[in-house]
Amino acid sequence: MDTNDSGAAITTELNGSWRIKDFAPGAAPSQENAAPGLDDRYWMTGRVPGDVHSALTERRVIDPPYFGHNDLKSRWVEDREWWYRRGFEYSGKLTKDKAERFELTFDGLDTFATIFVNGHEIGRSSNMLMAHTFDVTRVIRPGWNMVAVRFDPLLPHHKDKERFDWSSYTKERPWLRKAAMNFGWDWGPRLVTVGIWGGVRLKRHIQAKIESVFVETLSITEQEAELNISAEIQTYRGMSDVPLTLKMKLADAEGKIVYEAAAKEEGASVSASASSETARPANRRKASFAAAVVLPDPKLWWTHDLGDPHRYTLTAELHAGDAPIDTVTQAVGVRMIELRTEDEEGRAAFRFFLNDQPVYARGANWIPADNMIGAIPDSRYRELIALSAESGMNMLRIWGGGIYEKEVFYEECDRQGVLVWQDFAFANALFPDFNQDFMNNVRAEVQYNVKRLRGRPSLALWCGNNEIDWLYDMKTAGGDIKSDFYGELIYHELIPEVLELLDPNRPYWPSSPFGGNDANDPEVGDRHNWQVWHGSVYPRKFGEAPILDYSIQGVTFKNYKQDMALFSSEFGMHASANRYTLEKNMPPGELVWGGEEMAYRNKDTNHLKGILLMEGYTGIPRDIEEYMNFSMLTQAEGLRYGVEHYRRNPRSGGSLIWQLNDSWPGTSWAMIDYELLPKASYYYAKKFYHPLLLSLEHEPGEPLKVWAVNDGLEPIEAEAALEVWSFDGEKIGEYRFCSESALRGPELLGEIGEAEALNGTDAAEAVVRLRWISGGEAEFEQTYMLRDHRELKLRAAALAWSLNESIDAARTIGRNAASASASEERATGCTVTVSAAGSLARMVKLELPRGRVHFSDNYFDLLPGESRTVELSMLDGSELPEDFVRTELRVSVLNA
């Protein structure tokens, strides 16, 4: 389809159905496969954007790779040469004017590709992690055209390369600019993808084009915001000797024009009309524009928990003389972001400030939403980010072993008010920074992605790599690495140099973790807490050999309480995926605790860690049902224990859980499994990540301490109630606590001795409830056990449930009382009311055999005589039939 952008600029979209075929490497002459007249009707069809694995799966050439061990059966894909072909009709203008240009852009080529147009080789690519644009002016023709792409297998491009001491999970990837997780990680399989994973388009330009537009907020006061709009222009040989003008309009969310001007070339002064001064020299190949904008009464971009993520719309129209020749439209958020590494008292800190207001970062780490990255639908991004915001998260960290995410990811974070911590794509390996070709490839990748993303209001931080600085020191001290720190020049020289030129005012952090007496020092910078789960022993200093403690005490989540990190950017523990997710992807009868299929779902290095964590908290599971329940409960209670501890620390600037999502249906640290079914920890997060938090700090035999945390912009006066109940539903006591004054941040409201609170009741038979009396949301409630689950004296609980009326209402996505701009989707479903009798019902669980079901609440506790109504709907607003719920809903409890 051809679309007129403006004037002479015409875009032809080339997404959709392409022909795909594999060959033995080098077996078929490239000129034959690239020939416009080749008969390719017997080739397979596949979607673009997409990849070979998803096309083969859709056409039933290979069995679904995520089912059972099927990923092993598709390994042959990475050894073949793959071709893509697509013919198209070009019916637009083609004048052969010297100032006319045709550019073919691929947003994602995975990875070593040679591109042909009408049989002519026009260029090659060697980087999955950036777009590639080719000038095809000399080979495009009116009418029928053919684009062909050859993808090489990876082996010839790395088999003769040096192998380094360290490259986690595979030795081949350091020379390849490709998503590291394709080669396998400790939460996903090896699935080495190939294909056109981004969009494809042909664009015609005449005389010049807009290469980039960058709107930067320089300062904000209550009365005005100062912005700088800059644009880079590429001009072409044969351009008319006429002046270039950039006309700009800025409109608010209601469409009202709040700024309008025309900028002269080379950053000349802004005027109300196009310049008519002396024409530009015809031999110039670049032009630039800049405009200083003072915006009165600005509407600021905030995270969803602090306000409205308002966005303006900028339209920039390039004119050659009086003729419009190119247009760019983009959303603009007016906001200032700052990372402060020193507090008011001169101590080390790590806290983000948005519009000069402190932001406690509540969030999680993001990995690619599928191993088959090209085939991920936009809806999957929208739904995952909506779930994040709904749980109270205001920041997602894009982990460095994946990709620089697709535009839809950043668009949703901008729209829903979620900050982004962006790692550059370097993770857990040494990289050949001594090789000039490699470094040129990396520099192009970094420059491209900085220019692409720097205008996003959600982008809070650039980070050089994942864990490399920290692990290089640990592995060197442990004797695993004997080489120099290959790759250091990338994170400490190349990236900072690029950012200084292209995005100098955004925070940059060289690595995660980074800072202090060891790169993972809790007293400086950010920290990854892998004492819990991996058993890392701390404190540690540079040069000391690492120690692992694989014992109940070594891996327990109770170790979080010893961690006074200034910012915890990774921490977490495994939990099972939901029953439907596992059953869907396993052969019948193989969903067995201790079975080979369950073991294959777990890609971590030592499966003992999960057993030890459960042994310490729930006890060791005896069957698959107990494993699903015990692992989920341990993860949920453990993450709550850790996050609430971090949020009580007044020096903590944030906590980002490892990890939000899964890339395949496995056992992992994810809070939301592959079928977009949240685990128990997600529903706990809706409480422990609430901006107004009540939490209980308690250890056996010690006082019960009630804390309030206010992450909002305004201080509040708070009053809270602590209730103590027996498991049989008898209220033992109630105690009230008030803040000393209006609070912002964390405050200890008060405490009561354990014995006094229990009043003779056994701690293993008592439950504590916290709720707001004033200051917070009336429906907010937290439930705590006073002993580990394995010690509780739970009696049998009885459950009853009933299906209520259908619902057809707007479900708020990314909701929070402080957000005026939460988006809404229609939810067609029903409500279910669950009631408990007999005894405390521990971890009530609602299940349906379907993916992407949205439960308004799940995995909760009920006292006898209590009931809870839960809304059930589909994430995308599609119908969830009552009959399906009535016949398929499973409601269970740990102590049934």
Side-chain angles (χ1 to χ4, degrees):
M1 181 181 72
D2 298 341
T3 57
N4 243 324
D5 294 341
S6 70
I10 298 174
T11 299
T12 303
E13 298 290 345
L14 298 178
N15 297 335
S17 182
W18 286 57
R19 297 285 185 175
I20 305 174
K21 185 173 175 56
D22 67 301
F23 297 86
S30 291
Q31 284 301 313
E32 180 179 313
N33 280 342
L38 176 71
D39 183 358
D40 59 14
R41 59 185 151 160
Y42 298 112
W43 289 26
M44 176 179 70
T45 56
R47 299 289 298 176
V48 168
D51 56 77
V52 166
H53 283 86
S54 58
L56 292 171
T57 304
E58 184 178 355
R59 300 300 171 213
R60 296 180 173 84
V61 177
I62 62 173
D63 295 327
Y66 299 157
F67 186 86
H69 286 52
N70 283 351
D71 60 295
L72 298 176
K73 294 160 64 175
S74 64
R75 287 284 181 90
W76 61 272
V77 172
E78 63 184 87
D79 298 325
R80 303 288 285 176
E81 175 181 295
W82 290 91
W83 280 80
Y84 277 65
R85 285 172 55 90
R86 160 74 190 263
F88 68 97
E89 187 78 25
Y90 181 72
S91 57
K93 293 181 180 179
L94 203 163
T95 65
K96 298 296 184 181
D97 188 287
K98 290 181 180 179
E100 182 180 51
R101 291 293 185 277
F102 288 85
E103 292 181 339
L104 181 64
T105 296
F106 294 85
D107 287 330
L109 291 167
D110 182 11
T111 293
F112 292 95
T114 306
I115 297 86
F116 302 83
V117 174
N118 294 327
H120 301 284
E121 180 181 327
I122 61 167
R124 300 189 178 204
S125 70
S126 59
N127 194 318
M128 176 190 178
L129 305 170
M130 59 181 291
H132 300 274
T133 297
F134 303 93
D135 186 336
V136 297
T137 308
R138 303 283 289 175
V139 297
I140 201 73
R141 61 195 186 193
W144 186 253
N145 289 264
M146 173 60 66
V147 179
V149 183
R150 185 192 74 216
F151 289 98
D152 300 343
L154 299 180
L155 182 61
H157 295 276
H158 68 75
K159 68 178 181 178
D160 295 326
K161 298 293 188 183
E162 177 183 356
R163 293 293 190 262
F164 303 123
D165 294 349
W166 174 43
S167 175
S168 294
Y169 310 106
T170 177
K171 291 285 189 180
E172 69 214 84
R173 65 181 177 86
W175 291 89
L176 309 176
R177 294 312 297 149
K178 178 173 172 58
M181 49 82 71
N182 285 163
F183 300 95
W185 217 262
D186 56 6
W187 35 258
R190 180 186 177 99
L191 201 74
V192 180
T193 53
V194 59
I196 303 175
W197 73 270
V200 186
R201 61 194 171 276
L202 174 72
K203 190 164 185 178
R204 175 188 184 266
H205 296 281
I206 193 76
Q207 304 201 68
K209 70 168 181 176
I210 301 172
E211 283 196 327
S212 68
V213 178
F214 180 32
V215 183
E216 187 175 24
T217 307
L218 301 179
S219 66
I220 294 173
T221 67
E222 291 185 5
Q223 292 77 31
E224 64 184 31
E226 182 183 351
L227 313 179
N228 184 69
I229 304 177
S230 59
E232 296 178 358
I233 309 299
Q234 172 74 54
T235 65
Y236 304 123
R237 179 172 69 97
M239 178 185 169
S240 305
D241 290 340
V242 296
L244 288 174
T245 307
L246 192 69
K247 294 185 177 181
M248 296 168 288
K249 291 182 181 179
L250 201 61
D252 64 15
E254 288 73 43
K256 178 183 176 183
I257 303 297
V258 296
Y259 171 80
E260 185 173 8
K264 300 177 183 179
E265 188 180 342
E266 298 179 330
S269 60
V270 177
S271 61
S273 62
S275 170
S276 59
E277 296 179 3
T278 306
R280 68 190 311 282
N283 60 352
R284 285 277 305 281
R285 291 292 172 263
K286 294 285 184 181
S288 61
F289 295 86
V293 179
V294 176
L295 195 63
D297 302 318
K299 299 176 182 178
L300 304 185
W301 186 93
W302 293 96
T303 52
H304 67 89
D305 55 319
L306 296 179
D308 178 8
H310 183 274
R311 292 186 296 166
Y312 294 86
T313 299
L314 172 71
T315 302
E317 189 175 74
L318 182 65
H319 287 243
D322 294 328
I325 58 174
D326 201 7
T327 300
V328 168
T329 301
Q330 64 185 42
V332 173
V334 177
R335 64 101 181 95
M336 298 285 290
I337 192 76
E338 182 184 0
L339 173 65
R340 297 183 188 175
T341 55
E342 187 175 291
D343 66 15
E344 297 84 353
E345 300 176 31
R347 300 174 300 178
F350 198 99
R351 187 180 290 274
F352 290 93
F353 281 72
L354 179 63
N355 302 326
D356 205 34
Q357 297 295 323
V359 176
Y360 187 89
R362 307 183 306 272
N365 286 260
W366 171 281
I367 65 170
D370 200 301
N371 277 65
M372 293 178 277
I373 293 170
I376 303 172
D378 287 356
S379 60
R380 190 170 181 86
Y381 287 93
R382 286 192 289 268
E383 290 160 9
L384 276 168
I385 294 168
L387 285 169
S388 304
E390 187 177 333
S391 73
M393 296 183 189
N394 59 17
M395 177 177 278
L396 294 173
R397 173 186 174 227
I398 299 182
W399 168 75
I403 61 172
Y404 308 90
E405 271 299 348
K406 300 179 183 179
E407 291 298 321
V408 63
F409 175 91
Y410 304 99
E411 172 63 24
E412 288 303 309
C413 288
D414 288 352
R415 185 179 69 84
Q416 297 193 43
V418 177
L419 291 168
V420 175
W421 167 316
Q422 177 71 59
D423 280 8
F424 286 93
F426 300 92
N428 303 63
L430 300 175
F431 291 92
D433 60 0
F434 50 79
N435 182 278
Q436 192 61 52
D437 290 340
F438 180 83
M439 291 294 275
N440 288 342
N441 196 1
V442 167
R443 186 177 293 273
E445 168 194 320
V446 171
Q447 290 173 336
Y448 168 77
N449 284 292
V450 170
K451 283 187 176 182
R452 179 171 77 97
L453 300 177
R454 62 185 175 174
R456 292 290 184 180
S458 58
L459 184 60
L461 178 80
W462 295 109
C463 179
N465 68 69
N466 176 75
E467 295 188 340
I468 295 176
D469 289 59
W470 171 46
L471 292 180
Y472 174 77
D473 176 63
M474 290 225 295
K475 289 180 176 294
T476 301
D480 297 324
I481 297 178
K482 297 178 175 62
S483 70
D484 289 342
F485 186 179
Y486 300 138
E488 184 180 22
L489 297 183
I490 299 172
Y491 334 118
H492 297 278
E493 291 189 17
L494 187 154
I495 293 174
E497 288 171 4
V498 172
L499 291 174
E500 185 177 357
L501 291 173
L502 300 179
D503 196 18
N505 296 319
R506 199 180 316 272
Y508 173 67
W509 198 242
S511 183
S512 181
F514 189 78
N517 289 325
D518 142 324
N520 207 17
D521 188 343
E523 297 181 4
V524 181
D526 72 314
R527 183 159 198 258
H528 292 189
N529 186 319
W530 290 118
Q531 292 168 269
V532 178
W533 184 263
H534 285 311
S536 300
V537 175
Y538 267 81
R540 177 189 177 272
K541 295 183 178 180
F542 282 116
E544 294 180 353
I547 301 173
L548 297 178
D549 180 2
Y550 286 161
S551 68
I552 292 176
Q553 293 73 28
V555 303
T556 175
F557 63 72
K558 303 294 179 66
N559 288 326
Y560 284 135
K561 205 165 189 180
Q562 312 308 315
D563 183 8
M564 302 305 292
L566 299 179
F567 192 104
S568 191
S569 46
E570 275 194 27
F571 62 100
M573 61 204 75
H574 272 198
S576 172
N578 286 278
R579 179 194 312 277
Y580 170 75
T581 302
L582 294 173
E583 288 183 338
K584 179 181 177 181
N585 293 285
M586 287 186 184
E590 294 292 329
L591 182 55
V592 177
W593 170 235
E596 290 299 322
E597 285 292 337
M598 278 301 296
Y600 195 68
R601 300 285 113 190
N602 184 351
K603 301 302 184 185
D604 194 21
T605 52
N606 189 329
H607 294 188
L608 175 64
K609 290 173 281 190
I611 303 296
L612 290 171
L613 261 166
M614 289 185 289
E615 184 178 359
Y617 184 70
T618 59
I620 298 175
R622 295 165 295 183
D623 53 37
I624 191 63
E625 186 74 19
E626 282 197 342
Y627 167 68
M628 289 189 289
N629 289 334
F630 285 6
S631 64
M632 282 207 196
L633 182 61
T634 301
Q635 184 193 51
E637 291 284 358
L639 289 178
R640 175 167 72 169
Y641 188 93
V643 169
E644 291 184 350
H645 163 70
Y646 292 136
R647 292 188 67 184
R648 288 192 287 262
N649 177 6
R651 294 183 64 190
S652 172
S655 53
L656 306 180
I657 293 166
W658 184 269
Q659 64 207 59
L660 177 73
N661 58 310
D662 265 331
S663 67
W664 84 306
T667 299
S668 78
W669 296 262
M671 302 172 71
I672 302 170
D673 75 22
Y674 179 75
E675 295 293 336
L676 299 196
L677 297 174
K679 303 178 186 180
S681 60
Y682 172 84
Y683 295 96
Y684 273 53
K686 293 175 80 169
K687 301 293 178 65
F688 66 63
Y689 267 160
H690 198 287
L692 289 173
L693 171 69
L694 279 178
S695 70
L696 181 72
E697 181 184 9
H698 171 258
E699 301 300 333
E702 296 183 3
L704 281 64
K705 299 178 180 180
V706 179
W707 286 80
V709 182
N710 172 23
D711 285 346
L713 295 176
E714 300 297 331
I716 62 165
E717 293 187 356
E719 184 177 4
L722 181 153
E723 301 171 351
V724 185
W725 297 78
S726 68
F727 286 173
D728 61 8
E730 178 186 354
K731 191 172 186 179
I732 298 168
E734 179 176 327
Y735 309 90
R736 297 195 172 192
F737 304 92
C738 298
S739 57
E740 295 182 358
S741 59
L743 69 91
R744 188 179 182 194
E747 181 179 312
L748 176 63
L749 298 183
E751 63 180 61
I752 183 171
E754 182 182 89
E756 180 183 355
L758 289 171
N759 193 27
T761 302
D762 188 340
E765 298 180 273
V767 59
V768 170
R769 287 272 177 84
L770 295 182
R771 59 180 176 84
W772 291 104
I773 296 173
S774 63
E777 293 183 6
E779 65 269 22
F780 181 94
E781 181 182 271
Q782 288 250 63
T783 301
Y784 294 87
M785 304 299 143
L786 297 181
R787 294 295 184 266
D788 290 344
H789 180 79
R790 61 185 171 80
E791 302 175 77
L792 299 180
K793 299 176 182 178
L794 291 166
R795 293 177 290 279
L799 292 181
W801 66 271
S802 60
L803 184 65
N804 306 322
E805 78 281 356
S806 298
I807 58 171
D808 182 11
R811 175 168 63 85
T812 305
I813 302 297
R815 60 183 170 81
N816 186 279
S819 175
S821 68
S823 62
E824 291 185 336
E825 293 182 359
R826 302 301 297 182
T828 303
C830 57
T831 61
V832 170
T833 298
V834 183
S835 303
S839 180
L840 171 79
R842 182 68 165 136
M843 202 171 84
V844 177
K845 177 171 66 173
L846 285 71
E847 299 173 281
L848 280 173
R850 178 176 289 189
R852 300 167 70 206
V853 179
H854 180 270
F855 297 90
S856 61
D857 198 4
N858 209 343
Y859 299 96
F860 49 83
D861 301 323
L862 288 176
L863 285 166
E866 289 185 331
S867 63
R868 185 162 305 182
T869 298
V870 179
E871 294 182 3
L872 282 66
S873 59
M874 299 300 294
L875 285 175
D876 62 356
S878 60
E879 184 182 5
L880 181 62
E882 277 189 42
D883 288 346
F884 175 76
V885 176
R886 182 176 292 107
T887 57
E888 300 294 337
L889 181 66
R890 183 176 188 268
V891 182
S892 62
V893 66
L894 279 180
N895 56 316

